Amino acid sequence: MSALEQPILVSHKLCPFVQRSVITLLHKKIDFTIEYISLERKPDWFLEISPLGKVPLLRIKDTVLFESSVINEYLDETHGKPMLPTDPLEKAEHRAWIEFSSSINNIQYQLTQARREETFVKIEEDLNKKLAHLEKRIGNQGFFDGKDFSLVDSSFAPFLMRSKILADNTGVDTVSDYKKIQKWRENLLLLPEVKKSVVKDFEDLYMESIYERGGYLADQ
Ligand SMILES: N[C@@H](CCC(=O)N[C@@H](CS)C(=O)NCC(=O)O)C(=O)O
């Protein structure tokens, strides 16, 4: 495939939803081009093609896909070994957990933005309730469900990567009470498709964005 025919992923370096699609593209060994944009100053061409004004977008010839979970399912259906179960009930359950991972991403973002300790603690309580459900569901064979890397794994990996960076830099580890999630995190963060799914200076950029905000977490 020539570079001109490759799918183009319209991206932002810090976006966990973009990262999910990068992980899936890398896992499936699909050639692609990445185009970063500023979300503070969204280019006109982006606003013209992005119905929600959000990244990621995947441009395939004249078609524009949006919503990371939809992009990932398209990539899964068109390339290589399926990353979702074939049984409809199991597939629906995996999709539900992918949806759940989106809310976890949003809560993690809110946690990094909280200015006051009181707000931070409330958000952390909400996150804990949700993580307790996740802890009960995940398997203990290295991945979300069994021994194979699935779309649920690619969807949670961005949250887990950020939780590790936050733990290393602030001492606040949001998954410290959850042994299975910790093991899962260790396992996922060793995978090449996860390691290579962010820019080289991601940790610095991510922490800078948190220190710039100057919230409760930045003071820890
Ligand atoms: N549900 C969307 C969420 C994407 C999303 O929230 N992207 C953020 C960056 S991480 C964005 O583009 N925000 C720009 C805005 O809301 O103006 C998906 O899964 O793709």
Side-chain angles (χ1 to χ4, degrees):
M1 194 191 291
S2 78
L4 283 176
E5 287 169 346
Q6 285 174 12
I8 302 169
L9 189 72
V10 183
S11 308
H12 181 271
K13 289 180 184 170
L14 292 177
C15 177
F17 300 96
V18 165
Q19 195 186 347
R20 289 169 164 185
S21 295
V22 176
I23 293 170
T24 308
L25 283 156
L26 293 175
H27 181 78
K28 295 266 180 182
K29 300 193 177 8
I30 304 169
D31 291 331
F32 67 102
T33 306
I34 198 153
E35 181 156 4
Y36 295 107
I37 62 157
S38 156
L39 290 175
E40 285 76 44
R41 280 179 304 278
K42 296 173 187 166
D44 289 342
W45 64 262
F46 170 75
L47 291 171
E48 261 167 46
I49 62 169
S50 175
L52 294 170
K54 293 183 179 189
V55 289
L57 298 180
L58 189 71
R59 300 181 76 166
I60 300 162
K61 296 181 189 149
D62 291 337
T63 305
V64 177
L65 296 181
F66 55 104
E67 287 296 326
S68 58
S69 55
V70 175
I71 292 172
N72 281 1
E73 284 203 29
Y74 164 76
L75 295 171
D76 189 38
E77 282 172 9
T78 51
H79 295 80
K81 193 174 165 216
M83 293 169 73
L84 274 178
T86 46
D87 174 77
L89 182 59
E90 285 174 30
K91 188 193 280 189
E93 198 228 356
H94 275 223
R95 283 187 175 133
W97 283 104
I98 290 168
E99 190 62 33
F100 177 92
S101 75
S102 295
S103 71
I104 293 281
N105 279 344
N106 290 330
I107 298 172
Q108 184 177 53
Y109 178 72
Q110 287 168 22
L111 210 56
T112 64
Q113 301 296 297
R115 289 214 185 267
R116 292 184 306 142
E117 182 174 3
E118 198 190 339
T119 319
F120 181 89
V121 169
K122 265 199 185 139
I123 300 169
E124 207 182 22
E125 277 169 13
D126 181 26
L127 181 61
N128 272 319
K129 279 188 203 145
K130 293 193 165 68
L131 291 180
H133 282 281
L134 182 62
E135 177 80 359
K136 273 193 270 167
R137 173 58 184 84
I138 54 174
N140 44 23
Q141 289 177 291
F143 294 111
F144 173 76
D145 208 358
K147 290 185 185 144
D148 291 320
F149 186 76
S150 70
L151 285 187
V152 185
D153 295 284
S154 74
S155 297
F156 274 100
F159 160 76
L160 293 170
M161 180 184 277
R162 283 161 185 70
S163 74
K164 179 72 170 74
I165 293 174
L166 291 175
D168 292 346
N169 286 274
T170 68
V172 176
D173 188 356
T174 48
V175 309
S176 63
D177 288 344
Y178 307 101
K179 294 284 164 275
K180 277 159 72 189
I181 298 178
Q182 276 187 55
K183 191 87 201 65
W184 187 32
R185 175 171 76 181
E186 260 172 49
N187 195 40
L188 291 188
L189 295 188
L190 289 173
L191 301 176
E193 55 269 65
V194 175
K195 284 187 186 170
K196 290 182 191 154
S197 62
V198 286
V199 289
K200 283 209 168 58
D201 54 349
F202 177 76
E203 179 161 348
D204 292 343
L205 288 177
Y206 182 56
M207 287 313 300
E208 266 166 35
S209 73
I210 288 162
Y211 293 132
E212 265 168 26
R213 168 77 183 167
Y216 174 77
L217 202 51
D219 286 340
Q220 303 312 298

